[in-house]
Amino acid sequence: MIAGISGRVLKKSGNVLLVETKSGVVFEIVCDVQTSEEVKEGGECFLHTFLSVSQDGITLYGFSNEMKKELFLSLTKVSRLGPKTALKIISNEDAETLVAMIASQDVEGLSKLPGISKKTAERIVMELKDEFESAGIKDMRIYHESLEALVSLGYPEKQAREAVKQVYREGMKTSELIKEALKFLSHR
Amino acid sequence: MIAGISGRVLKKSGNVLLVETKSGVVFEIVCDVQTSEEVKEGGECFLHTFLSVSQDGITLYGFSNEMKKELFLSLTKVSRLGPKTALKIISNEDAETLVAMIASQDVEGLSKLPGISKKTAERIVMELKDEFESAGIKDMRIYHESLEALVSLGYPEKQAREAVKQVYREGMKTSELIKEALKFLSHR
Amino acid sequence: MIAGISGRVLKKSGNVLLVETKSGVVFEIVCDVQTSEEVKEGGECFLHTFLSVSQDGITLYGFSNEMKKELFLSLTKVSRLGPKTALKIISNEDAETLVAMIASQDVEGLSKLPGISKKTAERIVMELKDEFESAGIKDMRIYHESLEALVSLGYPEKQAREAVKQVYREGMKTSELIKEALKFLSHR
Amino acid sequence: MIAGISGRVLKKSGNVLLVETKSGVVFEIVCDVQTSEEVKEGGECFLHTFLSVSQDGITLYGFSNEMKKELFLSLTKVSRLGPKTALKIISNEDAETLVAMIASQDVEGLSKLPGISKKTAERIVMELKDEFESAGIKDMRIYHESLEALVSLGYPEKQAREAVKQVYREGMKTSELIKEALKFLSHR
């Protein structure tokens, strides 16, 4: 529901930021290490956020770019992989490299990263490889957004992924990919 | 609780909009296809919203006009019809036509729309026809608002619907319809 | 948590108001009938609110003055009396009269009001009479606030009520009443 | 999630404050007695807050400085010690003295404070003494923030505490302490 926060960084303690918005409400945002290093106390920032509501309470996670947030959301869908571990993985390697390692099923490489056991690396590759290497889609974000849009329109994920794989051509924008996929699905 | 959001469209991915409000908080809003086509990235927008809190998390649904929101709320009351299917139905036909099809119990027509099986069409007609064709009320919104007001004042839905049906006369405004219905109910 | 909303009344449908705040977020607020009659569409308003979180979802109730809100909170503490019935009771009689009827245990009078059966009237009187007539405290709001403050500081309600009853003198302000009661409690 | 609120104090009833933010939303904030005495009705204030979501509803607790908030969070982690008792303890003694009493395991002294039985004092000392006297860390806040940052990066609390204890040197800032601890942990 809360997809982003822009405001002034009141305080930085490790990777937890306090960001004051114009209304006077200060949000506590848990980030990956690079994101927190990129912002300065007293400076303005805009973070792509994810609002997590669970038994442990309400936590707002924040990222300096959308790709890291998308990767965080994908990692937290992996079984027995919670937000803290996802954050640790993203803190120890840049997003592009991680996506490439997962797409190329590089279990070895992944398990060398702090916070990823061999078992966790295998689960990540097994559960996410389709998503990342599917149709050799260069831009994982466009793939992700189109899939999410089709699913939120009620199409089962499997059909949506099939359609995106069939109609994708290099250079397509998200809106074009969705339109082509909808046409493909309506003729099924 | 959150019945509307006005702000700047930061980003459009399919039918998911990121809208930045004046306080700096960016809301993720899931819309029907026409609504998302009506707004432009970078432009200002006002959406009629519904805040859904469920096991799957907190989602904000948004519509460019109130009638679509009212229809969405009615559809989601139909058994085994969730927000995604309701959104898909509203994305594939305009609200007035859908209301007329339901009021005239046009199961055939409804089941031709993408996302509506014969069974679903029958359930929609069976559970919503009273609401839509009741007393031949032209303006479904006035009917809906008056009913909602009476129920929120503690009157059982059945009594409230009976009262509205008895006192409704063409051209009435919501406030007049509620006053007449309250008089009717207090003399029962 | 949200104790008040100030903003512009976008829309009035019966006793449900849509109020737009400066941040661009529009809140749906369910009010008693007088409160909704006191505000004008397009005009500014300030409402004393209560945020109710339950199985049915998140609802914001609003009142034009604090005494009505306090009475609403007291009524909803009565067993088997929910927010809708409380709202209906408050919509049909002014707060001062209701408080006097409860304090003087006027079951007869209460049960004549729309929405209050004999049984409900008896429960209201039985469960609230202490609170209202206790120590003949003229200003129920001061009594309520002092009690609430002491309880939120960890004192059991029974001890807190006893202390307030002992130390109350006509004309006292809330802060004075709390100070005297704290002294009384620390010497026990 | 909501770590701070700045706005105008609309009203003070005992230790419950109504603070109006720039967006027009008024927050109800439950404070310790000193905090509520430090603010003036009609004046501006900034409070360090903690958003508690539980069966009893959603409550926002507020403190005039961060150390009191940190102490409140530590106390509420003690078994069978809820927010009301924690608030009462903090209302009856200043934070530095309380920390020193806990660090020096002064059960006697603690149990003389209103709201703390002998049993509660023993539980507080037993469950918090490590945290407070650990490594003779002068500044409990730096210790707390570093620990929290490491835990939120996925390190088990026991390892994180061990690392902070090993690398802490007087005068270190939070960011330096975290960096050293991360180095220590990556060489384990």
Side-chain angles (χ1 to χ4, degrees):
Chain A
M1 175 180 143
I2 299 185
I5 296 272
S6 72
R8 196 165 62 86
V9 182
L10 269 195
K11 193 167 174 267
K12 231 169 68 158
S13 0
N15 62 324
V16 178
L17 308 181
L18 300 191
V19 179
E20 182 173 34
T21 58
K22 281 183 214 116
S23 69
V25 175
V26 177
F27 288 93
E28 181 176 275
I29 306 176
V30 181
C31 311
D32 58 288
V33 172
Q34 287 89 2
T35 292
S36 79
E37 279 165 2
E38 282 166 34
V39 300
K40 267 195 281 118
E41 261 186 20
E44 293 292 319
C45 79
F46 175 74
L47 298 174
H48 298 270
T49 55
F50 173 69
L51 181 67
S52 151
V53 180
S54 71
Q55 311 273 8
D56 311 333
I58 307 177
T59 310
L60 206 53
Y61 293 96
F63 306 90
S64 48
N65 67 58
E66 234 185 321
M67 188 166 185
K68 278 204 272 192
K69 173 179 165 181
E70 299 292 336
L71 183 53
F72 174 80
L73 293 178
S74 297
L75 287 169
T76 46
K77 279 188 227 151
V78 174
S79 39
R80 274 165 293 145
L81 201 155
K84 283 188 187 159
T85 312
L87 214 53
K88 198 164 149 186
I89 295 172
I90 291 173
S91 292
N92 286 298
E93 190 50 79
D94 67 78
E96 285 73 12
T97 316
L98 282 168
V99 167
M101 291 169 95
I102 297 169
S104 56
Q105 305 186 36
D106 179 2
V107 171
E108 215 48 50
L110 282 168
S111 47
K112 282 194 195 109
L113 296 177
I116 308 187
S117 66
K118 186 93 187 285
K119 277 240 169 75
T120 308
E122 280 157 1
R123 271 207 317 280
I124 291 173
V125 164
M126 206 188 44
E127 295 182 30
L128 293 186
K129 69 177 177 0
D130 281 355
E131 177 168 328
F132 288 178
E133 52 75 289
S134 156
I137 289 174
K138 293 287 155 307
D139 186 335
M140 200 274 291
R141 189 170 52 75
I142 290 186
Y143 173 87
H144 222 280
E145 281 166 8
S146 321
L147 193 66
E148 205 176 303
L150 294 167
V151 166
S152 75
L153 281 172
Y155 292 98
E157 187 152 336
K158 208 159 175 289
Q159 270 186 36
R161 194 172 287 159
E162 180 54 28
V164 165
K165 208 168 155 182
Q166 295 299 332
V167 302
Y168 176 76
R169 282 187 314 291
E170 186 105 16
M172 264 186 166
K173 278 194 282 173
T174 306
S175 42
E176 290 156 353
L177 184 48
I178 292 168
K179 255 184 208 133
E180 288 305 312
L182 281 173
K183 261 189 234 153
F184 175 86
L185 284 162
S186 59
H187 296 137
R188 276 174 56 84
Chain B
M1 174 179 141
I2 299 185
I5 296 271
S6 72
R8 196 167 61 87
V9 182
L10 269 195
K11 192 167 172 271
K12 231 167 75 157
S13 357
N15 62 323
V16 179
L17 307 182
L18 301 189
V19 179
E20 182 174 32
T21 59
K22 282 183 212 114
S23 68
V25 175
V26 178
F27 288 94
E28 181 177 274
I29 306 177
V30 182
C31 310
D32 58 288
V33 173
Q34 287 88 3
T35 292
S36 79
E37 279 167 359
E38 282 165 33
V39 300
K40 268 195 282 115
E41 260 186 23
E44 293 292 319
C45 78
F46 175 75
L47 297 174
H48 299 267
T49 55
F50 173 70
L51 181 67
S52 151
V53 180
S54 70
Q55 310 273 10
D56 311 333
I58 306 179
T59 309
L60 205 53
Y61 292 96
F63 306 91
S64 48
N65 66 57
E66 236 186 317
M67 185 165 188
K68 278 203 272 193
K69 175 180 165 181
E70 299 293 336
L71 183 53
F72 173 80
L73 294 178
S74 297
L75 287 170
T76 46
K77 279 189 224 150
V78 174
S79 37
R80 276 167 291 143
L81 201 156
K84 283 187 187 159
T85 311
L87 214 52
K88 198 166 149 185
I89 295 171
I90 291 173
S91 292
N92 285 299
E93 190 49 80
D94 67 79
E96 284 71 12
T97 313
L98 282 169
V99 167
M101 290 169 96
I102 297 169
S104 56
Q105 305 185 37
D106 179 3
V107 171
E108 216 47 50
L110 282 169
S111 46
K112 282 194 195 107
L113 296 176
I116 309 187
S117 66
K118 187 92 188 287
K119 276 242 170 73
T120 307
E122 280 158 1
R123 271 206 319 278
I124 291 172
V125 164
M126 206 188 45
E127 295 181 33
L128 294 185
K129 67 178 181 355
D130 282 355
E131 177 169 326
F132 288 178
E133 50 79 286
S134 154
I137 290 174
K138 292 287 153 309
D139 186 333
M140 199 274 293
R141 190 170 53 76
I142 290 186
Y143 173 87
H144 222 280
E145 281 167 8
S146 320
L147 193 66
E148 206 177 300
L150 294 167
V151 166
S152 74
L153 281 172
Y155 292 99
E157 186 152 337
K158 206 158 175 289
Q159 271 185 38
R161 192 173 288 160
E162 180 54 28
V164 166
K165 207 168 158 180
Q166 294 300 333
V167 302
Y168 177 76
R169 283 188 314 292
E170 185 105 16
M172 264 186 165
K173 280 195 285 174
T174 306
S175 42
E176 290 155 351
L177 183 50
I178 293 169
K179 258 188 202 128
E180 289 303 313
L182 282 173
K183 261 190 232 149
F184 176 86
L185 285 163
S186 59
H187 294 135
R188 278 175 53 84
Chain C
M1 176 181 138
I2 298 184
I5 296 272
S6 71
R8 196 167 61 87
V9 182
L10 270 195
K11 195 168 171 271
K12 229 165 79 155
S13 357
N15 64 322
V16 179
L17 307 182
L18 301 189
V19 179
E20 182 173 34
T21 59
K22 280 182 216 115
S23 69
V25 175
V26 178
F27 288 93
E28 181 175 274
I29 306 178
V30 181
C31 311
D32 58 288
V33 173
Q34 288 88 3
T35 293
S36 79
E37 279 166 0
E38 282 165 36
V39 300
K40 268 198 275 105
E41 263 187 20
E44 293 293 318
C45 79
F46 175 74
L47 297 174
H48 298 268
T49 54
F50 172 70
L51 181 67
S52 152
V53 180
S54 70
Q55 310 276 6
D56 312 332
I58 307 180
T59 310
L60 205 53
Y61 292 97
F63 306 90
S64 49
N65 67 56
E66 237 187 317
M67 186 165 187
K68 278 204 269 194
K69 174 180 166 181
E70 299 292 334
L71 183 53
F72 173 80
L73 293 178
S74 296
L75 287 170
T76 47
K77 278 189 227 149
V78 174
S79 37
R80 274 167 290 143
L81 200 155
K84 283 186 187 160
T85 311
L87 214 52
K88 200 165 150 185
I89 295 172
I90 291 173
S91 292
N92 286 299
E93 189 51 79
D94 68 78
E96 284 71 12
T97 315
L98 282 168
V99 167
M101 291 170 96
I102 297 169
S104 55
Q105 306 185 37
D106 178 2
V107 172
E108 216 46 50
L110 284 168
S111 47
K112 283 197 195 103
L113 297 175
I116 308 187
S117 67
K118 187 90 187 291
K119 277 239 169 75
T120 307
E122 281 157 0
R123 271 206 319 278
I124 292 173
V125 164
M126 206 185 51
E127 295 181 33
L128 294 184
K129 69 177 180 356
D130 282 355
E131 177 167 327
F132 286 1
E133 48 83 286
S134 154
I137 290 174
K138 291 289 153 309
D139 186 335
M140 201 272 292
R141 188 170 53 75
I142 291 186
Y143 173 88
H144 223 283
E145 281 167 7
S146 320
L147 193 67
E148 205 177 301
L150 294 168
V151 166
S152 77
L153 281 173
Y155 292 97
E157 185 150 337
K158 208 158 172 288
Q159 269 185 38
R161 193 173 288 160
E162 179 55 27
V164 166
K165 207 168 159 181
Q166 295 300 333
V167 302
Y168 176 76
R169 280 186 318 291
E170 186 106 13
M172 263 184 165
K173 280 195 285 174
T174 306
S175 43
E176 289 156 352
L177 184 48
I178 292 169
K179 262 194 197 120
E180 289 304 313
L182 282 173
K183 261 191 234 148
F184 176 87
L185 285 163
S186 60
H187 296 136
R188 278 174 56 82
Chain D
M1 176 180 140
I2 298 184
I5 296 272
S6 71
R8 197 166 61 85
V9 182
L10 269 195
K11 196 168 173 271
K12 231 167 75 154
S13 357
N15 63 322
V16 179
L17 307 181
L18 301 190
V19 179
E20 182 173 33
T21 58
K22 279 183 214 113
S23 68
V25 175
V26 177
F27 288 92
E28 180 175 275
I29 306 177
V30 181
C31 312
D32 58 289
V33 173
Q34 287 89 2
T35 292
S36 80
E37 278 165 2
E38 281 165 35
V39 300
K40 267 198 277 102
E41 261 187 21
E44 293 294 318
C45 80
F46 175 74
L47 298 174
H48 299 269
T49 54
F50 172 69
L51 182 68
S52 152
V53 181
S54 71
Q55 310 275 6
D56 311 335
I58 306 178
T59 310
L60 205 53
Y61 293 96
F63 307 89
S64 48
N65 67 57
E66 237 186 318
M67 187 165 187
K68 277 203 271 192
K69 174 180 164 181
E70 298 292 335
L71 183 54
F72 172 80
L73 293 178
S74 296
L75 287 169
T76 46
K77 279 190 228 150
V78 174
S79 38
R80 275 166 290 144
L81 200 154
K84 283 188 186 156
T85 312
L87 214 53
K88 199 165 149 185
I89 296 172
I90 291 173
S91 292
N92 286 299
E93 190 50 79
D94 68 77
E96 285 72 12
T97 315
L98 282 168
V99 167
M101 291 170 96
I102 297 169
S104 55
Q105 306 185 37
D106 178 3
V107 171
E108 214 50 47
L110 282 168
S111 47
K112 281 198 197 104
L113 296 175
I116 307 186
S117 67
K118 187 94 187 285
K119 279 240 169 72
T120 308
E122 280 156 2
R123 272 208 316 282
I124 291 173
V125 164
M126 207 186 48
E127 295 181 33
L128 293 186
K129 70 174 174 9
D130 281 356
E131 178 167 328
F132 288 0
E133 50 80 283
S134 155
I137 290 174
K138 293 288 154 308
D139 185 335
M140 201 273 291
R141 189 170 53 74
I142 289 185
Y143 173 88
H144 223 281
E145 281 167 8
S146 321
L147 194 65
E148 205 177 300
L150 295 167
V151 166
S152 77
L153 280 174
Y155 291 99
E157 185 150 338
K158 208 156 173 287
Q159 270 187 36
R161 193 173 288 161
E162 181 53 28
V164 166
K165 209 168 156 180
Q166 295 297 335
V167 303
Y168 176 76
R169 280 187 317 290
E170 186 106 14
M172 264 185 166
K173 278 194 282 171
T174 306
S175 43
E176 289 156 353
L177 183 50
I178 292 168
K179 258 186 203 128
E180 289 304 311
L182 281 172
K183 263 190 232 148
F184 176 86
L185 284 163
S186 60
H187 296 137
R188 278 174 54 82

